[in-house]
Amino acid sequence: MADKLTIRSISADDTMRIARILAEALPPGVVVILLIGELGAGKTTFVQGLAKGLGVTGRVTSPTFLLMKEHLGVRPLRHIDFYRIAEAGELEPLGILEDIPADTVIIVEWADRLKLSLGAPEITIDIRLLENLDERDLVISQKGFEGWEVESALRVD
């Protein structure tokens, strides 16, 4: 994979579709997905699509005030929101990054607010709004995976 892969999403439904495809193709083990993007970029929409791809049946909303929500599907999904976190020291007493079950997908909104390192493979997705407000560019990079590439998972030429 090149350093970064850019995929154009033409609508919220398309963003959810891309996320669902990614979820269905993720390799086993703990995987961290870091979402970056301004307010209204579509981070929660992406999480909703990812959750569908992981078989989550309940409603998925941003955990801005709760900081974390856990969802059960074919794989556990731990949805974290750093919007209200100012420094890494605030996370430890909350236990957000403790007792992570095997095969969990951890997805973090506002990931650029803090450096997070769990020692697990990571996918970073920077969701960028475009002039046409329905469209976004998803700029994707990955690190820590062996023998798996997001580019192939998303079936991008």
Side-chain angles (χ1 to χ4, degrees):
M1 178 177 145
D3 283 350
K4 295 187 181 197
L5 168 69
T6 301
I7 297 177
R8 175 78 38 99
S9 169
I10 59 171
S11 66
D13 286 342
D14 197 31
T15 298
M16 289 180 71
R17 180 188 63 80
I18 293 164
R20 182 186 46 75
I21 291 168
L22 176 62
E24 292 169 353
L26 288 173
V30 174
V31 175
V32 178
I33 300 174
L34 305 170
L35 296 179
I36 299 167
E38 62 187 273
L39 192 63
K43 294 179 295 297
T44 302
T45 299
F46 189 91
V47 175
Q48 290 167 340
L50 190 87
K52 279 188 188 233
L54 293 174
V56 173
T57 57
R59 188 166 180 245
V60 175
T61 59
S62 182
T64 301
F65 295 102
L66 299 174
L67 303 179
M68 180 183 77
K69 290 182 182 176
E70 292 189 293
H71 304 279
L72 296 177
V74 293
R75 289 175 76 166
L77 175 63
R78 187 170 287 189
H79 182 189
I80 302 170
D81 189 319
F82 282 171
Y83 185 74
R84 296 182 52 228
I85 301 290
E87 59 183 45
E90 293 179 52
L91 293 178
E92 192 172 324
L94 300 173
I96 287 176
L97 302 175
E98 296 173 5
D99 300 321
I100 299 169
D103 222 27
T104 296
V105 176
I106 300 168
I107 190 159
V108 182
E109 293 191 48
W110 298 98
D112 52 333
R113 296 179 71 82
L114 293 179
K115 285 282 186 200
L116 175 69
S117 180
L118 294 175
E122 293 180 359
I123 299 169
T124 301
I125 303 173
D126 185 354
I127 304 174
R128 299 176 182 173
L129 291 167
L130 300 174
E131 231 175 87
N132 174 345
L133 295 180
D134 289 333
E135 296 183 354
R136 280 112 174 88
D137 275 347
L138 282 63
V139 181
I140 305 168
S141 60
Q142 69 178 70
K143 71 176 187 178
F145 291 91
E146 288 191 33
W148 183 87
E149 288 196 0
V150 70
E151 187 171 5
S152 297
L154 292 173
R155 300 177 194 93
V156 175
D157 295 330

